[in-house]
Amino acid sequence: TTPTFTSSSTATTTVTTTVTSTATTSRTTTQTTSRSTTMTSTRTTTATSTATTSATTTATTSPTTTTTTTPTTTPFSARFQCYTRSADPPTGTFVGNPSYSDCVAQVNILSDLVEVCSGTRGSISCVGTAITDDASNQFYAVRDLIFTGLPGSSCVASAINAASREYHRRPESETNISCGFFGYLLVDSDCERNVQLLNEMINAYETEDGTFRECDITTPTTTPTTTVTSTVTTSQTTSVTTSVTTSVTTTVTTTAFYLRLVCIEDSGVAYFGLTADALEDSK
């Protein structure tokens, strides 16, 4: 016998439906730049120094008075002197000089003076041999070579006395000179005074601008001359002026601020918003 198998199959299908809902959020990021401006004021102080130089000129005028006297009289170095001799001829009080060369120089000037005043030069000279006076002084006597002492013989002494009268302008100041033996010039009295008057007259004649050059006495003219002297004094003055200038400088500083906006969708609705880190950055 063949066994028989009976198969019974029951298929049971169970359908299980699982609904899964997934919320999808999409983030959109938008970068927004916000400009932040900060105003900064800076105070700047500048010191300015200005040097000012000014030249000051001061004119000082001072009058200077100078008195000029003309002529200038330079005394002659050689001077006639008196010598008395009473022991041996020739005797008397003589006009002479201890130096022969000085005597000659003085006699030449006296001869010129006599010629200007009288028109005749005469023949005055110095004796070449020294004579010794009573005090043992040797001198060279002055004499008129052409005087003889005879009637009609003129002595140069008269011309000398006339010139002295013209120079001193006073009869009492006239020399008293005469011619003695061999024509020697003698002084009868007060020899020192007479010789002084003779020397003064010769000095007035022989100087370059002599007051008796033309045998006509002239008065020295004193002319005060006033000279104005101006002295210009220039002084330089430098002054430094310092001025302080304060200026306020305002500087605008712009700082770029970056703000991130995001787009958020929730349940199908889109929103703009800030993320947490963006909020933190904006503080």
Side-chain angles (χ1 to χ4, degrees):
T1 314
T2 308
T4 303
F5 295 90
T6 301
S7 172
S8 178
S9 174
T10 301
T12 301
T13 302
T14 302
V15 179
T16 302
T17 301
T18 303
V19 178
T20 303
S21 177
T22 302
T24 302
T25 302
S26 62
R27 178 179 295 183
T28 301
T29 301
T30 302
Q31 181 170 309
T32 302
T33 301
S34 174
R35 184 179 298 275
S36 174
T37 301
T38 303
M39 181 180 292
T40 303
S41 296
T42 304
R43 180 183 299 272
T44 303
T45 300
T46 304
T48 304
S49 295
T50 303
T52 303
T53 301
S54 60
T56 303
T57 301
T58 303
T60 303
T61 302
S62 59
T64 302
T65 301
T66 305
T67 301
T68 304
T69 302
T70 305
T72 301
T73 301
T74 303
F76 189 71
S77 58
R79 311 281 291 176
F80 283 131
Q81 300 178 25
C82 294
Y83 298 92
T84 301
R85 179 183 170 89
S86 58
D88 299 319
T91 59
T93 302
F94 299 83
V95 177
N97 195 290
S99 167
Y100 179 74
S101 60
D102 289 346
C103 181
V104 171
Q106 195 83 335
V107 161
N108 289 335
I109 298 173
L110 181 59
S111 297
D112 293 341
L113 187 154
V114 169
E115 184 178 9
V116 170
C117 291
S118 66
T120 302
R121 184 174 180 81
S123 55
I124 312 172
S125 68
C126 288
V127 178
T129 302
I131 303 175
T132 303
D133 67 359
D134 293 346
S136 300
N137 297 315
Q138 289 191 333
F139 67 96
Y140 296 87
V142 181
R143 59 176 293 199
D144 183 348
L145 294 177
I146 64 174
F147 178 72
T148 62
L150 298 176
S153 176
S154 62
C155 175
V156 73
S158 59
I160 294 175
N161 293 333
S164 174
R165 181 171 57 251
E166 175 64 25
Y167 174 71
H168 293 287
R169 298 295 180 91
R170 296 189 306 274
E172 63 273 15
S173 296
E174 177 183 339
T175 57
N176 183 23
I177 300 175
S178 62
C179 284
F181 186 68
F182 294 121
Y184 287 105
L185 296 187
L186 303 176
V187 181
D188 296 335
S189 62
D190 200 359
C191 182
E192 296 295 336
R193 175 178 174 275
N194 276 271
V195 168
Q196 179 182 353
L197 294 174
L198 178 62
N199 288 330
E200 288 177 358
M201 178 178 65
I202 293 174
N203 285 336
Y205 174 82
E206 65 91 18
T207 53
E208 183 178 353
D209 295 324
T211 56
F212 199 53
R213 174 62 67 179
E214 301 300 327
C215 199
D216 185 12
I217 189 67
T218 58
T219 303
T221 302
T222 301
T223 305
T225 303
T226 301
T227 304
V228 178
T229 304
S230 297
T231 303
V232 178
T233 303
T234 301
S235 61
Q236 181 170 300
T237 304
T238 302
S239 60
V240 178
T241 304
T242 302
S243 59
V244 178
T245 304
T246 302
S247 59
V248 179
T249 304
T250 301
T251 304
V252 177
T253 304
T254 301
T255 304
F257 180 72
Y258 298 96
L259 183 63
R260 296 184 180 87
L261 293 178
V262 297
C263 181
I264 301 173
E265 292 182 4
D266 188 7
S267 301
V269 180
Y271 302 91
F272 284 104
L274 295 175
T275 62
D277 53 350
L279 288 174
E280 186 66 25
D281 291 339
S282 65
K283 293 181 180 179

